[in-house]
Amino acid sequence: RTVRSAHGVYLDFARLLGPGALRRTPPCYVGLVREPTKRLRSHYDYLHWGPRSPWARFWKGQDAGAPPFWDCVERRRQSGHREESRGGCLYWANAQLQYFCGVHRSCREGSEAALRRALAHARSAFAAVGVVEDLAGFLEVLERVLPGYFAGVAGTYARATIHARTTHHVAAEVVPPAARDFLRTDVLKWEYALYAAVERDFRRQQRACKLP
């Protein structure tokens, strides 16, 4: 048995390689989603100020002089300009949606079609999809649905003294309401729909596993 952890979009091997291409049991996926604006902002902060490896800094150098996230979003809202480099504040928008959607051409941008495909994959190919905001609950579900891989993981996590590394700004930012709404109702509209649906499904799975 092999466990592979990586950042990469969902691959439907049977569709891509043809029926019978997999001689053994197809891969079993698990995944997490995070509140979309928090994920986008965290990714931006990590790119510019986070604790990154030498290789990561090589292919995308860190720019400590980059504008704060919300300043960048507000500029994009006002200008209507969304074309971004890898270090831009909107470049990684809808990355979670694309992750579950896969490699189909409809997955390249946030859309209703991408949402339908993403949810179909999450519900058919993933043993569990949780939310980062309830990581402890997700680990309990993994113990129930894949005990051969995850037995005891919830207790190990609960005993850990450090659960995450986070990137903090030195100064607090003022969040412009228009910029926040721009992300929620426009840029990340379909990813918010994905997040809401995944969370509902996750809560149902918790109840099915008889977890609080």
Side-chain angles (χ1 to χ4, degrees):
R1 296 184 297 179
T2 301
V3 176
R4 183 173 185 269
S5 174
H7 292 171
V9 299
Y10 167 76
L11 295 175
D12 183 343
F13 290 100
R15 186 180 70 82
L16 293 171
L17 302 178
L22 295 176
R23 297 181 180 179
R24 299 181 179 181
T25 304
C28 175
Y29 290 90
V30 298
L32 284 162
V33 294
R34 186 178 181 182
E35 197 281 335
T37 295
K38 290 180 179 179
R39 189 212 62 81
L40 186 62
R41 190 265 173 86
S42 176
H43 198 151
Y44 180 79
D45 289 355
Y46 172 71
L47 286 176
H48 293 295
W49 303 286
R52 306 182 70 212
S53 69
W55 166 247
R57 290 194 298 271
F58 171 77
W59 71 263
K60 170 56 184 78
Q62 291 181 290
D63 180 9
F69 176 75
W70 287 110
D71 288 358
C72 178
V73 172
E74 179 61 11
R75 291 175 191 174
R76 298 296 183 271
R77 185 190 71 81
Q78 292 182 10
S79 68
H81 178 72
R82 301 194 189 184
E83 295 297 323
E84 295 275 25
S85 67
R86 282 181 176 270
C89 56
L90 301 185
Y91 182 85
W92 297 100
N94 295 302
Q96 297 180 119
L97 183 64
Q98 293 168 14
Y99 169 79
F100 287 97
C101 185
V103 296
H104 190 270
R105 61 181 178 274
S106 66
C107 303
R108 296 170 186 170
E109 296 181 354
S111 67
E112 186 175 3
L115 174 65
R116 287 198 302 268
R117 188 173 291 272
L119 286 175
H121 292 159
R123 289 165 175 166
S124 64
F126 284 71
V129 182
V131 292
V132 170
E133 289 73 18
D134 186 10
L135 180 55
F138 176 64
L139 296 178
E140 290 177 338
V141 168
L142 289 182
E143 285 190 321
R144 299 295 179 88
V145 299
L146 293 170
Y149 288 96
F150 295 103
V153 68
T156 299
Y157 178 76
R159 292 188 297 272
T161 56
I162 299 176
H163 287 171
R165 292 187 304 174
T166 56
T167 303
H168 299 282
H169 278 292
V170 174
E173 290 180 327
V174 176
V175 180
R180 181 184 58 224
D181 293 343
F182 171 60
L183 291 183
R184 178 176 283 274
T185 63
D186 189 337
V187 176
L188 298 172
K189 172 184 176 180
W190 298 108
E191 189 161 289
Y192 267 104
L194 172 72
Y195 179 82
V198 164
E199 184 174 26
R200 287 194 298 271
D201 290 350
F202 174 60
R203 299 306 176 195
R204 282 194 289 267
Q205 189 173 29
Q206 281 184 310
R207 291 193 292 272
C209 291
K210 295 181 169 38
L211 293 169

